[in-house]
Amino acid sequence: MGLAAVFLLAALLTWAARGYALRRNLFDQPGERRSHKVATPRGGGIAIVVSQLMAYAVIGVVRDELAGVLMAFSTGLLLVAGIGWWDDHRPLSARLRLCVHVVAGALLGMLVWQASGDAFKAFFSALLAIGLINVWNFMDGINGLATTQAILAATAFALLLPMPHAGIALLLATGCLGFLPFNFPKARIFMGDVGSGALGYLLAGLVALGITVTDIAWPIWLVPLTAFLVDSGFTLLARMRRGERWMEAHTQHLYQAYVKRGRSHAAVTLDYALFSVAGLTLCAASGELPPVWGSMVALAWAVIGFCIWYMLRNRIVR
């Protein structure tokens, strides 16, 4: 019943966000650094953010012992979503956005430190939050891609987490499902920075939860994120190696390159989904492995992801 309410709320709020964007003239315009061809309203990701915050509020009331943790995590989410919402209305400097992301990441790290007393886990969680906020922003460039990857990653985390923690992952997947019909296969609204950054932070929160409440090897928690981590990470390294201004918007990610070659948004999104479904299956099969073996499996999957990215990238270049 609770998941159905989250789905309906996210769908209703996405519809409302589209109307708001049309009235306020909030559009992403086509251009050389864009992968779409028509002006499209943006900011629909606010629906996912609100659906999650309201769910956390209800959980905090029902489960008093979780209220403090959820309040702190919600504060970080509000910071990330808030700066993204502001940026969707009036572009802000990259430095200001990064400062807010660092504060939100630090909040997540503090929560992990408080729960585990493990400095490595706390630092890893904070750094991952900052990274995923920006990775999801970089990779949110075609219809449905960022949303479907978040759904699949959250589903994988739900399979790995014990109950009731798995329910938090399902809340995220359900909220994204409420937004998805408005963004895929045809985009009637884009997620915007408010949504892409929030998804990155929410997924980092699920990873932080996983490494805190389970003994599963921490690299396993990165397997569902491999598609985005490989494409964004190695594209960034390639741009830095060429001496380009890597902070500027571009269309050099693998998914963007394929769209420029004429492959449809839907086909590329489904290609990435197929890879991530394989990763999800691997996660489900590896959750019970000893940490050393789990780490080796995750490393092998990362190498496979890189090899696929490198092969496809070279094919496009040629």
Side-chain angles (χ1 to χ4, degrees):
M1 190 67 178
L3 293 178
V6 169
F7 174 83
L8 291 174
L9 178 61
L12 179 62
L13 289 175
T14 304
W15 174 80
R18 186 175 187 275
Y20 172 83
L22 291 172
R23 290 192 301 272
R24 293 292 301 269
N25 199 32
L26 295 177
F27 287 90
D28 272 345
Q29 300 294 338
E32 292 183 2
R33 296 177 179 175
R34 304 281 185 176
S35 297
H36 60 282
K37 297 180 179 179
V38 296
T40 306
R42 66 173 179 264
I46 188 67
I48 300 173
V49 174
V50 174
S51 72
Q52 301 306 293
L53 288 172
M54 293 190 69
Y56 296 159
V58 172
I59 294 172
V61 171
V62 176
R63 301 285 297 272
D64 289 342
E65 70 276 15
L66 297 177
V69 172
L70 288 173
M71 182 177 296
F73 183 70
S74 296
T75 300
L77 177 58
L78 280 169
L79 286 172
V80 174
I83 200 70
W85 181 251
W86 189 357
D87 193 55
D88 284 333
H89 286 73
R90 185 174 61 187
L92 302 171
S93 70
R95 181 175 298 179
L96 175 59
R97 296 197 306 272
L98 181 59
C99 287
V100 174
H101 298 164
V102 169
V103 172
L107 279 173
L108 181 60
M110 289 171 60
L111 285 173
V112 173
W113 170 258
Q114 184 180 28
S116 68
D118 190 313
F120 169 76
K121 290 180 178 179
F123 180 75
F124 171 76
S125 299
L127 195 62
L128 183 67
I130 298 167
L132 288 186
I133 290 167
N134 289 280
V135 164
W136 243 258
N137 183 268
F138 296 155
M139 299 297 290
D140 180 29
I142 62 173
N143 301 349
L145 182 62
T147 314
T148 55
Q149 288 296 304
I151 291 170
L152 291 170
T155 301
F157 296 150
L159 293 173
L160 293 175
L161 286 164
M163 291 299 291
H165 303 93
I168 298 176
L170 291 176
L171 287 174
L172 176 55
T174 304
C176 290
L177 281 171
F179 169 81
L180 186 62
F182 295 86
N183 186 246
F184 181 82
K186 180 180 179 180
R188 288 182 284 164
I189 189 168
F190 289 152
M191 188 179 299
D193 287 351
V194 62
S196 60
L199 283 186
Y201 191 73
L202 287 163
L203 290 168
L206 290 175
V207 173
L209 182 62
I211 65 175
T212 301
V213 303
T214 75
D215 294 323
I216 297 172
W218 66 265
I220 286 289
W221 296 94
L222 300 181
V223 168
L225 311 172
T226 300
F228 272 19
L229 291 177
V230 167
D231 195 359
S232 60
F234 286 104
T235 300
L236 176 62
L237 289 175
R239 284 173 56 80
M240 294 174 69
R241 183 180 177 185
R242 292 192 296 267
E244 299 177 6
R245 296 183 177 180
W246 55 272
M247 291 287 289
E248 292 184 353
H250 61 87
T251 55
Q252 296 179 23
H253 291 293
L254 182 62
Y255 77 91
Q256 293 168 319
Y258 265 95
V259 169
K260 288 170 69 175
R261 286 284 297 271
R263 194 163 177 79
S264 71
H265 286 211
V268 174
T269 293
L270 292 175
D271 288 342
Y272 275 71
L274 182 62
F275 177 83
S276 291
V277 167
L280 184 156
T281 305
L282 184 65
C283 273
S286 304
E288 300 298 324
L289 290 176
V292 172
W293 285 104
S295 298
M296 291 179 65
V297 167
L299 178 60
W301 185 246
V303 171
I304 290 171
F306 169 74
C307 290
I308 293 173
W309 177 87
Y310 187 78
M311 177 186 68
L312 294 176
R313 188 80 189 180
N314 281 351
R315 179 182 297 177
I316 293 177
V317 171
R318 287 198 301 269

